[in-house]
């Protein structure tokens, strides 16, 4: 597996909390020759299950945390964990990424939680020893080698002491490991419970997710509808803006028209003031004319009253004359009857017939108006009646149809029986008035005389 730029998961867990026995490294050399690739072989135990983010790092001996790795490689997950081939795994480190010094290093398997699951024995990166070559050295070099050997022995003793302390530390670590395994079992049971709860919560979340998806679909459809509505509103807004522009233009036109109307109004006010002054003058003139007309009307009414009183007196006198003439007529008729009887008696006495007489008395149809046909010698009062008739019976004419009326005696009844005119015509300007507006007609005629 190739190395990537992504950093591996690490932790600050100390050596006391690591589980070195779950992954076992096999065929680890004491040293590796620099400049060549290094293949790391390891075996997965049954208690350990690898995960995707596990990795193997090269650590310098004496490391304290998993963050102190020199280089690392991601591990590959086996296809079948139950097969023997799945247990034997390997990973190859490229020479370019390997250390260049001769310090001691070791392989460490670190899971994705940053916990160490296995560690190898220490090894170095150095060339092979040339033990088969005979080396000739001087006394000084021998002494130097002995001094170096003493130092190595001393260092070996220190390493032994360190190994004893590490063994003791390892035993303590094993005890703690046992305790940690017990805690791990408790954590596993807790994890199972949490997984069940997580599963139930996941089911609830899936249900909520489905509901949210349905709501999202509804919101999407509503959003589309709102988008269509927004487009419609935008179209309406553009239309309203155009209408508003037209209204603003119309308002400007109305403002200009209002200014013109204000000017015309001021002119009309001035004209109205002048007209009011003229109207006052006209009202004064009309009042004066009305006063004059009222005075004239009063005078005319007084004259008409006087004339009416005279006509009433004349009517009374004519009625008295009519009564006297009626009585005279009745008396004459009685006398005429006596004369008829006397005439008949005389004719019978003389043996003459009335129809055989050569003289015929003219009838009323032949022009003998006012004469009695029974009188032989005529009516002795006919001359009186004919001479007095023109004075007693004055002739009147209808102003509408120009018909003749009888004298003052029959004036009232004849005027009532005569049909009234439908309209009245002015004799001066030919203006017509309805018959009901007689008073207006008379006032109009009167105005011509002013």
């Amino acid at each position: 597996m190739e190395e990537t730029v992504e950093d591996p998961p690490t932790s600050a867990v100390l050596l006391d909390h690591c589980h070195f026995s779950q992954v076992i490294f096999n065929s680890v050399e004491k040293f590796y020759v620099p400049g060549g690739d290094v293949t790391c072989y390891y075996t997965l135990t049954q208690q350990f299950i690898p995960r995707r983010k596990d990795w193997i790092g090269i650590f310098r001996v004496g490391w304290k945390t998993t963050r102190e790795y020199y280089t690392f490689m991601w591990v590959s997950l086996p296809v079948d964990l139950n097969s023997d081939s799945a247990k034997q795994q390997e990973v190859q480190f490229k020479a370019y990424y390997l250390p260049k010094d001769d310090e001691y290093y070791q392989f460490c398997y670190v899971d994705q939680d940053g916990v160490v699951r296995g560690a190898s024995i220490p090894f170095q990166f150095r060339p092979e020893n040339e033990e088969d070559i005979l080396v000739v050295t001087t006394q000084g070099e021998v002494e130097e080698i002995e001094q170096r050997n003493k130092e190595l022995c001393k260092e070996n003793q220190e390493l032994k002491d360190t190994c004893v302390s590490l063994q003791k530390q390892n035993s303590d670590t094993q005890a703690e490991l046992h305790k940690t395994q017990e805690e791990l079992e408790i954590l596993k049971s807790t994890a199972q419970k949490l997984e069940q709860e997580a599963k139930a919560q996941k089911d609830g979340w899936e249900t909520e997710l489905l509901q949210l998806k349905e709501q999202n679909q509804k919101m999407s459809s509503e959003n589309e509808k709102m988008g269509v509505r927004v487009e419609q509103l935008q179209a309406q807004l553009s239309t309203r803006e155009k209408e508003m522009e037209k209204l603003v233009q119309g308002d400007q036109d109305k403002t200009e028209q209002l200014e013109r109307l204000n000017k015309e109004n001021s002119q009309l006010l001035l004209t109205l003031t002048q007209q009011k002054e003229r109207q006052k003058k006209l009202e004064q003139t009309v009042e004066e004319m009305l006063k004059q007309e009222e005075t004239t009307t009063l005078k005319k009414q007084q004259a008409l009253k006087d004339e009416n009183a005279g006509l009433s007196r004349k009517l009374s006198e004519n009625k008295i004359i009519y009564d006297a003439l009626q009585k005279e007529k009745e008396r004459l008729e009685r006398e005429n009857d006596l004369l008829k009887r006397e005439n008949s008696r005389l004719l019978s006495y003389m043996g003459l017939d009335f129809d055989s007489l050569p003289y015929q008395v003219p009838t009323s149809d032949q022009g003998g108006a006012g004469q009695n046909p029974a009188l032989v010698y005529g009516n002795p009062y006919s001359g009186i009646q004919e001479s007095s008739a023109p004075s007693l019976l004055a002739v009147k004419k209808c102003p509408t149809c120009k018909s003749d009326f009888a004298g003052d005696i029959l004036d009232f009844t004849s005027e009532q029986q005569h049909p009234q005119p439908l309209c009245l015509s002015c004799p001066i300007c030919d203006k017509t008035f309805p018959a009901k507006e007689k008073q207006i007609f008379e006032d109009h005629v009167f105005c011509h005389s002013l």
Side-chain angles (χ1 to χ4, degrees), residues 336-350:
N336 190 17
D337 290 337
L338 292 174
L339 288 174
K340 280 183 179 180
R341 289 194 294 271
E342 183 67 20
N343 191 17
S344 297
R345 187 181 63 79
L346 289 175
L347 289 173
S348 62
Y349 177 77
M350 292 177 62

Side-chain angles (χ1 to χ4, degrees), residues 339-340 343-348 351-362 372-377:
L339 288 174
K340 280 183 179 180
N343 191 17
S344 297
R345 187 181 63 79
L346 289 175
L347 289 173
S348 62
L352 299 173
D353 190 3
F354 182 76
D355 294 331
S356 62
L357 292 177
Y359 174 76
Q360 294 294 332
V361 181
N372 196 334
L375 297 179
V376 178
Y377 300 102

Side-chain angles (χ1 to χ4, degrees), residues 54 91 168 205-206 222 292 305 307 342 399 418 431:
D54 293 353
V91 65
K168 184 179 179 181
W205 286 348
E206 288 178 353
E222 291 179 359
Q292 293 177 2
K305 286 181 180 179
E307 185 178 357
E342 183 67 20
H418 191 71
K431 187 176 182 180

Side-chain angles (χ1 to χ4, degrees), residues 118-130:
S120 69
I121 61 174
F123 57 86
Q124 287 180 303
F125 292 94
R126 63 180 179 82
E128 296 181 356
N129 291 329
E130 298 178 355

